[in-house]
């Protein structure tokens, strides 16, 4: 079963360092989403792509955050100059192409970031 | 920011009992979805209900939607210890693909 995969699963970094996470969606899905989840809260939307185009970005995504999906397949999320407030679980999801009646999103296991 | 809130925040029941959790949201929606999240595992999609539907069933799950009250409920019948998880509602609007999640209900089912 080739579901959504994320790498790494855990990342511990020091404040001020840059980190990059990778997400590989389900192969036939052309939509890819990033969410952030802090302890005890539901996931919060960050951004999403259709193929390689970034269609929407949340105001939560500060200038230190950048996401790419260069070939419309895998995506990377980079956080520059990390802060302790960036500590969270970063979730990736993908969904099927347009034409479906609704949009069920399939989530990966997440990358847990701890900023010391 | 979260779309709305879920109630209760935490629920503890015995195996075999039914569990009901409620979700309220703030804006008009295209559909509402429920997800389950176990510790150490990702979010798993459970069921989707469209804005023009009032009730939907899937196995032991029953979802209702009241768009006039901007609320939904999830009923899990004959609960099992394996149902122990956090449950989130998520809404999808007409003009965007993003999901807006609620704050979640932590369900504990004791054997």
């Amino acid at each position: 079963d080739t579901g959504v995969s994320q790498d790494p699963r855990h990342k511990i970094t020091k404040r001020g360092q840059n980190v990059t996470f990778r997400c590989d969606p389900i192969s036939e899905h052309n939509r890819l989403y990033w969410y952030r989840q802090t302890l005890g809260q539901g996931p919060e939307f960050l951004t999403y792509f259709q193929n390689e185009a970034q269609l929407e970005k949340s105001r939560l995504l500060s200038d230190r955050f950048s996401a790419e999906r260069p070939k419309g397949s895998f995506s990377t999320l980079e956080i520059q100059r990390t802060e302790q407030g960036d500590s969270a679980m970063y979730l990736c999801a993908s969904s099927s192409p347009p034409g479906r009646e609704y949009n069920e999103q399939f989530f990966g296991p997440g990358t847990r970031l701890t900023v010391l | 920011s979260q779309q709305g809130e879920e109630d209760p925040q935490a629920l503890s029941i015995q195996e075999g009992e039914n569990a009901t959790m409620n979700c309220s949201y703030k804006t008009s929606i295209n559909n509402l979805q429920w997800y389950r999240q176990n510790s150490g595992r990702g979010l798993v999609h459970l069921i989707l209900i469209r804005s023009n539907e009032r009730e939907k069933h899937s196995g032991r799950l029953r979802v209702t939607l009241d768009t006039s009250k901007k609320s939904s409920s999830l009923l899990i019948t004959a609960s099992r210890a394996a149902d122990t998880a956090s449950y989130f509602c998520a809404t999808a609007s007409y003009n965007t693909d993003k999901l807006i999640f609620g704050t979640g209900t932590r369900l504990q089912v004791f054997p």
Side-chain angles (χ1 to χ4, degrees):
Chain A
D1 176 19
T2 54
V4 179
S5 62
Q6 293 186 245
D7 183 68
R9 295 289 305 274
H10 303 274
K11 179 70 177 179
I12 300 174
T13 191
K14 293 182 179 179
R15 187 163 50 101
Q17 297 294 306
N18 298 345
V19 294
T20 300
F21 310 140
R22 175 179 170 125
C23 171
D24 286 89
I26 293 172
S27 59
E28 63 268 26
H29 287 179
N30 74 342
R31 293 183 177 182
L32 186 148
Y33 311 79
W34 285 99
Y35 293 83
R36 181 174 69 187
Q37 185 178 24
T38 54
L39 199 61
Q41 298 295 313
E44 294 180 294
F45 171 79
L46 293 178
T47 188
Y48 92 93
F49 294 83
Q50 178 166 302
N51 298 314
E52 63 274 10
Q54 189 173 19
L55 296 188
E56 188 171 349
K57 291 171 59 173
S58 164
R59 283 171 288 181
L60 293 174
L61 218 61
S62 75
D63 291 345
R64 297 183 299 105
F65 288 71
S66 63
E68 293 183 344
R69 196 181 182 199
K71 297 182 180 178
S73 56
F74 73 91
S75 175
T76 58
L77 178 67
E78 181 184 17
I79 309 175
Q80 297 181 327
R81 304 181 302 282
T82 52
E83 302 172 355
Q84 288 182 325
D86 297 332
S87 295
M89 177 76 84
Y90 289 84
L91 296 166
C92 177
S94 68
S95 68
S96 56
R100 287 202 55 168
E101 195 173 346
Y102 61 86
N103 173 23
E104 176 186 344
Q105 296 182 20
F106 295 82
F107 282 81
T111 294
R112 181 169 296 284
L113 173 66
T114 302
V115 182
L116 302 175
Chain B
S1 62
Q2 316 275 186
Q3 163 72 288
E5 293 189 355
E6 292 179 60
D7 171 59
Q9 289 187 335
L11 180 61
S12 295
I13 59 174
Q14 295 290 130
E15 256 189 339
E17 294 180 338
N18 296 342
T20 299
M21 49 203 88
N22 304 295
C23 165
S24 62
Y25 57 91
K26 297 175 182 174
T27 61
S28 61
I29 62 171
N30 178 21
N31 64 72
L32 184 145
Q33 305 176 34
W34 285 90
Y35 285 80
R36 181 183 68 215
Q37 186 175 41
N38 299 92
S39 59
R41 297 183 63 180
L43 284 154
V44 174
H45 183 269
L46 296 176
I47 192 167
L48 177 149
I49 186 166
R50 300 183 188 88
S51 60
N52 61 354
E53 296 176 317
R54 292 297 166 257
E55 186 171 315
K56 201 161 184 179
H57 298 254
S58 176
R60 295 184 296 112
L61 305 179
R62 173 178 167 255
V63 171
T64 62
L65 178 65
D66 187 336
T67 53
S68 67
K69 294 182 179 178
K70 291 186 168 58
S71 67
S72 173
S73 67
L74 172 67
L75 168 68
I76 305 173
T77 60
S79 63
R80 305 166 182 168
D83 295 329
T84 295
S86 291
Y87 291 81
F88 295 93
C89 67
T91 55
S93 302
Y94 288 96
N95 58 352
T96 175
D97 265 9
K98 68 184 180 187
L99 291 177
I100 306 296
F101 284 83
T103 51
T105 292
R106 293 188 308 281
L107 173 66
Q108 176 82 50
V109 182
F110 292 99

